[in-house]
Amino acid sequence: MYPTFARTRPPDTQISKSVASLLLSFGWMKVAFLYSTTQDRNFKEVSRTIIQTLNGIGIEVRYLGTWPETYHYGYGENPFDELVENSYMNARSKIALHFIIQ
């Protein structure tokens, strides 16, 4: 239908710089980092790059959590309640950063 349409995404380094910039602008130097480990997405590589970037500029990742499958509200067990509970003691302020990389 659209023969010239192409979908792209920025490189992992640009995504991680954007995340770092956002965190720095709020003055958040200690964070919990959560990401999906689903088989159909490649979040592991971009997550590794984000964590390296954050460590390189002095933002401490105090908690690292993952969930193994795509979560659709109302159709499965919510993995986020446990992740937030587990991260509470190390990172009391919460922010959810969700990236959809297609």
Side-chain angles (χ1 to χ4, degrees):
M1 183 179 229
Y2 303 103
T4 59
F5 177 78
R7 189 179 342 199
T8 62
R9 75 170 186 90
D12 295 352
T13 53
Q14 184 59 47
I15 294 169
S16 56
K17 287 177 185 178
S18 298
V19 172
S21 178
L22 175 69
L23 296 175
L24 287 174
S25 71
F26 283 103
W28 296 343
M29 302 305 290
K30 297 177 183 181
V31 299
F33 189 81
L34 312 173
Y35 69 95
S36 171
T37 57
T38 60
Q39 295 291 331
D40 60 336
R41 305 275 191 233
N42 191 17
F43 293 124
K44 193 172 200 171
E45 290 301 318
V46 70
S47 298
R48 183 178 302 135
T49 304
I50 292 170
I51 292 167
Q52 288 174 346
T53 300
L54 297 179
N55 288 335
I57 61 170
I59 295 177
E60 181 183 355
V61 177
R62 305 267 325 242
Y63 178 82
L64 181 63
T66 64
W67 64 97
E69 56 192 40
T70 301
Y71 171 65
H72 299 285
Y73 180 76
Y75 292 97
E77 187 176 336
N78 182 343
F80 304 111
D81 292 334
E82 184 178 348
L83 286 167
V84 170
E85 184 67 32
N86 290 342
S87 69
Y88 174 74
M89 294 308 293
N90 290 322
R92 293 185 182 214
S93 296
K94 303 293 186 257
I95 181 172
L97 298 175
H98 181 83
F99 298 99
I100 298 183
I101 302 170
Q102 306 236 3

